[in-house]
């Protein structure tokens, strides 16, 4: 850290890399203790690293380094919790519970992804996939709606999934 | 962004920093704040030094020792609060020592006064002025100290705000002592303490808003 204060980028990089795991462990541990899920840990860790960079002049070499770094981590963690609590308080009470339990953004993102992938399927296959996998109809209900047998429906879905998997592979 | 990318970015083009900057900026804020507070009192109210009265001079010195010790103790506590990982409760608890001392000093003084005069001795003539002026004069040193703390990284915002309020109140009370016409230890023990406590409470309320980073 002292070398980093003097402008040694290499030393600072090594320092941040060695801090990364223990700090992540600390943040994630505290989050789970407080009943949050650990998904925010990486974001908070990044904020902590940025703060260590921005406030590197506040480290006093006469003092121990660990309490300084963890002091910053603790502050950023509490700051994050305060902000998310404020955001939660702004929602009406009935929806607050839902928001807390389901990963809303994650669900939205995967829905968007799924719709995009569905668009590349042939029309029969697409309708079958959408009804069964996204809208939650049973295979029997969907098969009836299309006027085909359940077995044929299963084949359509199987083909659709295969095509989507192939498309995903191509993309990545 | 990936964390490894972030680390790469943060450590490239790393500029050297001045690690003495925190105490320097805070000392500058304290110095300028004190000068401005004293100047305000001198210009607006004049210095009421009656040097012929040795009693008054003695009391003035005592007042200044009282307020000065508050300034010193709170400043050293604040230096610690300005950096992460150094905030300890002991430093903050020390802040209360001068108040206890002045109360103990004032107690026999207050007991020796006849009952009929006791109220006069405590309440004095200038208590509303004292309660209003000390926090009012404290705003400038407080603002300067908050500005200095924002260059640092306090992690206990309420505590840092309260101690900054204490410090500003101590500075302001030192300046006010120069023109305060009430010459009784009981007055100082009671009203200076209350005025400085008001500053500290306001500081604790404002700290979390002003000091976030």
């Amino acid at each position: 850290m002292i070398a980093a204060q003097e402008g040694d980028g290499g030393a600072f990089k090594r320092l941040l890399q060695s801090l990364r795991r223990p700090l992540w462990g600390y943040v994630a541990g505290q989050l789970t203790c407080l009943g949050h899920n650990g998904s925010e840990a990486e974001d908070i860790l990044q904020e902590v690293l940025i703060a260590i960079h921005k406030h590197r002049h506040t480290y006093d070499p006469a003092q121990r380094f660990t309490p300084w770094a963890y002091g910053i981590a603790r502050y950023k963690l509490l700051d994050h919790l305060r902000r998310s609590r404020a955001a939660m308080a702004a929602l009406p009470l009935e929806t607050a519970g839902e928001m807390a339990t389901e990963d809303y953004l994650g669900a939205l993102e995967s829905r968007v992804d799924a719709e995009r992938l569905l668009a590349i399927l042939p029309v029969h296959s697409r309708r079958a996939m959408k009804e069964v996998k996204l809208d939650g109809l049973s295979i029997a209900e969907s098969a009836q709606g299309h006027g085909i047998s359940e077995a044929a429906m299963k084949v359509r879905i199987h083909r659709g999934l295969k095509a989507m998997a192939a498309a995903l592979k191509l993309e990545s | 962004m990936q964390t490894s990318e972030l680390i790469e970015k943060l450590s490239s083009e790393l500029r050297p920093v001045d690690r003495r900057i925190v105490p320097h900026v805070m000392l500058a804020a304290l110095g300028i704040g004190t000068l401005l507070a004293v100047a305000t009192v001198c210009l607006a109210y004049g210095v009421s030094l009656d040097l012929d009265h040795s009693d008054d001079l003695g009391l003035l010195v005592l007042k200044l020792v009282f307020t000065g010790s508050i300034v010193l103790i709170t400043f050293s506590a604040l230096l610690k609060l300005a950096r992460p990982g150094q905030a300890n409760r002991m430093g903050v608890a020390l802040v209360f020592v001068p108040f206890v001392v002045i109360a103990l000093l004032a107690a026999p003084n207050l007991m020796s006064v006849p009952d009929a005069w006791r109220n006069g001795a405590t309440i004095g003539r200038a208590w509303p002025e004292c309660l209003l002026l000390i926090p009012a004069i404290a705003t400038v040193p407080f603002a300067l100290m908050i500005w200095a703390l924002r260059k640092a990284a306090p992690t206990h915002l309420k505590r840092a705000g309260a101690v900054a309020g204490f410090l500003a109140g101590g500075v302001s009370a030192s300046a006010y002592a120069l023109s305060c016409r009430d010459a009784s230890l009981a007055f100082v023990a009671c009203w200076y303490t209350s005025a400085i406590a008001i500053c500290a409470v306001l500081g604790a309320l404002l700290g979390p808003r002003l000091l976030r980073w």
Side-chain angles (χ1 to χ4, degrees):
Chain A
M1 185 65 202
I2 296 172
Q5 286 181 320
E6 277 150 15
D8 183 345
F12 193 52
K13 188 172 156 190
R14 282 194 300 282
L15 177 78
L16 292 185
Q17 273 163 350
S18 67
L19 279 174
R20 183 177 168 179
R21 287 198 139 274
L23 283 179
W24 188 87
Y26 168 75
V27 171
Q30 296 291 317
L31 278 176
T32 16
C33 270
L34 295 165
H36 284 244
N37 61 7
S39 61
E40 304 131 283
E42 197 70 23
D43 288 344
I44 301 175
L45 171 68
Q46 294 198 355
E47 277 185 47
V48 174
L49 294 178
I50 292 171
I52 286 180
H53 172 264
K54 193 174 160 208
H55 296 276
R56 60 190 190 279
H57 64 279
T58 64
Y59 172 63
D60 176 1
Q63 302 291 328
R64 279 162 57 222
F65 174 72
T66 324
W68 180 83
Y70 280 83
I72 289 182
R74 179 187 160 279
Y75 175 80
K76 280 293 170 192
L77 177 65
L78 289 179
D79 194 51
H80 181 89
L81 293 176
R82 208 162 24 222
R83 253 178 308 166
S84 55
R85 204 169 43 220
M88 196 89 85
L91 294 169
L93 251 162
E94 307 87 73
T95 56
E98 276 169 47
M99 294 291 280
T101 48
E102 91 182 306
D103 183 359
Y104 179 67
L105 262 184
L108 193 69
E109 251 169 46
S110 49
R111 172 108 199 179
V112 169
D113 272 348
E115 303 260 9
R116 189 172 49 82
L117 281 172
L118 278 176
I120 63 171
L121 296 179
V123 72
H124 280 309
S125 223
R126 188 192 315 160
R127 265 185 65 191
M129 291 286 295
K130 197 168 157 357
E131 283 176 16
V132 175
K133 294 292 177 191
L134 290 181
D135 301 340
L137 293 183
S138 74
I139 289 180
E141 284 168 332
S142 177
Q144 222 171 18
H146 289 257
I148 56 173
S149 72
E150 275 183 44
M153 194 64 191
K154 281 183 187 163
V155 171
R156 276 187 189 176
I157 288 168
H158 179 71
R159 283 194 191 137
L161 279 176
K162 239 175 142 177
M164 280 166 79
L168 264 182
K169 225 180 204 167
L170 257 178
E171 271 181 31
S172 58
Chain B
M1 198 193 317
Q2 291 295 308
T3 304
S4 22
E5 274 175 56
L6 179 73
I7 290 178
E8 201 68 50
K9 227 173 115 184
L10 290 178
S11 51
S12 63
E13 294 172 36
L14 193 70
R15 266 176 301 154
V17 287
D18 179 6
R19 57 174 82 100
R20 310 283 313 149
I21 193 110
V22 172
H24 284 174
V25 172
M26 284 173 65
L27 255 176
L30 178 64
I32 299 171
T34 310
L35 275 178
L36 286 176
V38 171
T40 314
V41 169
C42 290
L43 290 177
Y45 306 101
V47 177
S48 71
L49 277 188
D50 201 352
L51 291 179
D52 298 337
H53 278 276
S54 58
D55 271 8
D56 280 6
L57 188 64
L59 190 69
L60 176 66
V61 170
L62 203 64
K63 279 182 191 169
L64 288 179
V65 168
F66 169 58
T67 54
S69 63
I70 293 171
V71 170
L72 281 182
I73 294 170
T74 48
F75 187 68
S76 66
L78 203 56
L79 275 176
K80 289 216 161 107
L81 282 169
R83 298 175 192 271
Q86 280 198 44
N88 61 342
R89 280 164 213 272
M90 262 315 283
V92 180
L94 271 180
V95 169
F96 295 100
V97 170
F99 296 101
V100 175
V101 171
I102 196 89
L104 289 177
L105 281 177
N109 177 301
L110 203 56
M111 295 305 157
S112 65
V113 177
D115 269 353
W117 292 4
R118 195 173 289 166
N119 282 341
T122 332
I123 294 174
R125 283 150 290 166
W127 68 269
E129 180 190 294
C130 173
L131 273 190
L132 275 178
L133 277 184
I134 289 182
I137 298 167
T139 50
V140 174
F142 182 73
L144 282 165
M145 202 43 74
I146 293 292
W147 166 79
L149 280 176
R150 288 182 61 93
K151 309 253 167 214
T155 51
H156 295 76
L157 302 188
K158 210 181 265 177
R159 216 182 293 174
V163 175
F166 255 124
L167 175 59
V171 167
S172 159
S174 308
Y176 175 73
L178 297 175
S179 91
C180 176
R181 276 168 286 278
D182 256 289
S184 106
L185 208 51
F187 180 88
V188 176
C190 183
W191 299 117
Y192 277 39
T193 303
S194 308
I196 294 171
I198 291 175
C199 300
V201 170
L202 290 177
L205 290 176
L206 288 171
R209 280 155 226 264
L210 298 176
L211 293 172
R212 278 186 69 181
W213 48 275

